[in-house]
Amino acid sequence: MRILMVEDEAPIASVVKRGLERAGYQVEVADEGMAGWELAKDGGYSLILLDLMLPGLDGLEICRRLRARRDRTPILMLTARDAVSERVKGLEAGADDYLPKPFAFEELLARVRALLRREGVNKSSIIQIRDLEIDTTARRVLRDGEELPLTPREYSLLEALAKNEGRTLTRELVLERVWDDEGRTGSNTVDVYITMLRRKIDADASVKLIHTVHGVGYVLRRPADDEEKGDEEKS
């Protein structure tokens, strides 16, 4: 698998490149923004490691340009900034994950593998998350074997959440990139559809999959084992 790393700090780029190549990946490095953009837009990479602060063209702009082209290559954003607002900016620009510097190479490798694994699963026509099954070809949804009737908007929202399992989607991202509704409807519309989705997806299920991340947006995730045990003990 080919990985593009856009990183202007040579020592970091060297260590990461060497480590990823030992792990079996092919790695190409660009040390400034415009060079990174030229490589990224030509495609062919399984994943992009993208520094936020770059000379020439910053990581946020590269990310935005790729997503504007409907390029869904997984992007792991690297940055020295660890403020929540900076993480949100990266995710809203279209990054799939975010790793603040300094980081341990082992964590970076684990995140790379997780993103590539998720991308491989999501390329399948069937998305399976616990007892929730989404057939993206037939646009058919089942929970615990029972088919659920969804409106087109409900379905597109659920599919986006499922394809980004574990990643928080902001209301703005849903409006702009899932529904292409920027400027036409308010962000509270997303809240309304989430409520309707929960009634159909989670209302009759013991394990809830759709969760609110207060002040940010919504995420679809399966519970950790300890959370599930806690739910069982309460029931």
Side-chain angles (χ1 to χ4, degrees):
M1 289 186 176
R2 296 175 66 225
I3 294 176
L4 172 63
M5 183 174 193
V6 189
E7 171 60 69
D8 65 324
E9 294 185 55
I12 292 177
S14 176
V15 168
V16 171
K17 183 176 190 293
R18 191 163 58 248
L20 288 175
E21 288 177 339
R22 276 200 294 261
Y25 299 103
Q26 295 178 308
V27 183
E28 200 163 349
V29 177
D31 62 3
E32 58 92 23
M34 282 305 300
W37 163 243
E38 290 299 323
L39 290 170
K41 73 183 178 69
D42 289 337
Y45 296 100
S46 300
L47 182 138
I48 298 172
L49 299 175
L50 186 58
D51 190 23
L52 179 63
M53 300 297 293
L54 291 165
L57 193 67
D58 68 31
L60 286 176
E61 182 58 28
I62 293 173
C63 194
R64 290 190 190 103
R65 289 186 182 188
L66 287 171
R67 297 315 188 215
R69 294 163 62 100
R70 306 295 184 188
D71 187 322
R72 298 304 177 199
T73 304
I75 294 174
L76 175 56
M77 192 80 79
L78 307 174
T79 178
R81 299 177 180 177
D82 191 24
V84 171
S85 60
E86 295 300 325
R87 292 201 295 271
V88 170
K89 282 181 184 177
L91 294 172
E92 287 184 336
D96 297 278
D97 200 358
Y98 191 103
L99 187 60
K101 300 176 185 178
F103 52 81
F105 175 76
E106 291 77 10
E107 181 179 4
L108 180 137
L109 181 59
R111 291 185 183 231
V112 164
R113 285 173 171 163
L115 284 173
L116 290 173
R117 186 166 57 246
R118 189 172 76 191
E119 179 69 3
V121 169
N122 289 343
K123 282 182 177 175
S124 167
S125 64
I126 301 293
I127 302 174
Q128 183 83 44
I129 302 171
R130 288 190 60 93
D131 60 348
L132 174 67
E133 183 179 304
I134 303 171
D135 184 335
T136 60
T137 301
R139 295 174 70 87
R140 185 167 172 256
V141 178
L142 295 92
R143 183 89 198 253
D144 195 24
E146 180 183 348
E147 186 168 356
L148 305 175
L150 300 184
T151 67
R153 282 208 163 200
E154 289 171 345
Y155 174 83
S156 61
L157 176 55
L158 179 64
E159 183 181 303
L161 288 166
K163 283 185 173 180
N164 291 277
E165 180 191 354
R167 173 190 166 197
T168 302
L169 300 186
T170 65
R171 295 168 180 83
E172 292 74 21
L173 186 147
V174 171
L175 289 171
E176 293 173 18
R177 292 213 296 277
V178 178
W179 291 341
D180 293 324
D181 266 4
E182 183 181 9
R184 292 195 291 275
T185 60
S187 61
N188 65 320
T189 304
V190 179
D191 301 335
V192 171
Y193 274 89
I194 285 287
T195 298
M196 293 190 294
L197 255 188
R198 280 178 166 148
R199 287 175 185 157
K200 295 181 179 181
I201 301 297
D202 281 343
D204 298 324
S206 59
V207 175
K208 310 304 181 188
L209 297 177
I210 301 173
H211 303 271
T212 302
V213 179
H214 294 290
V216 183
Y218 298 97
V219 61
L220 190 150
R221 61 174 173 79
R222 62 193 80 204
D225 291 340
D226 54 348
E227 287 182 74
E228 194 168 350
K229 285 176 185 175
D231 290 339
E232 289 172 358
E233 288 169 2
K234 290 175 189 174
S235 59

